[in-house]
């Protein structure tokens, strides 16, 4: 068995991107900063499912196993 360590994703200013930060921004309906560090396909998904995601975040429900 081998383990490959993948570095955390960072913004252009070298800020580490965390799932917690992403969830907080979605919960606050502040999607603009997400566009700086999430892929277009993810942004599109968030925009299309924003209400459902915000509800899950508010309830504290894990999203996709995270």
């Amino acid at each position: 068995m081998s383990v490959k360590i993948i570095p955390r994703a960072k913004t252009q200013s070298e800020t580490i991107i965390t799932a917690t930060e992403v969830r907080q921004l979605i919960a606050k309906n502040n999607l603009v900063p997400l566009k700086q560090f999430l892929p277009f396909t993810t942004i599109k998904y968030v925009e299309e499912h924003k209400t459902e995601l915000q509800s899950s975040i508010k309830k504290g429900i894990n999203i996709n196993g995270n």
Side-chain angles (χ1 to χ4, degrees), residues 20-33:
T20 299
E21 182 179 2
V22 170
R23 286 190 297 270
Q24 288 172 347
L25 290 168
I26 293 170
K28 294 176 183 176
N29 200 33
N30 188 5
L31 304 184
V32 174

Side-chain angles (χ1 to χ4, degrees), residues 44-61:
K44 185 176 176 184
Y45 179 88
V46 169
E47 290 174 342
E48 291 174 357
H49 299 90
K50 182 176 60 175
T51 303
E52 177 186 341
L53 292 169
Q54 289 170 331
S55 177
S56 295
I57 292 167
K58 185 176 182 179
K59 293 177 186 175
I61 296 172

Side-chain angles (χ1 to χ4, degrees), residues 5 11 15 38 43 57 62 65-66:
I5 298 174
T11 64
T15 303
L38 293 180
I43 294 296
I57 292 167
N62 289 339
N66 296 321

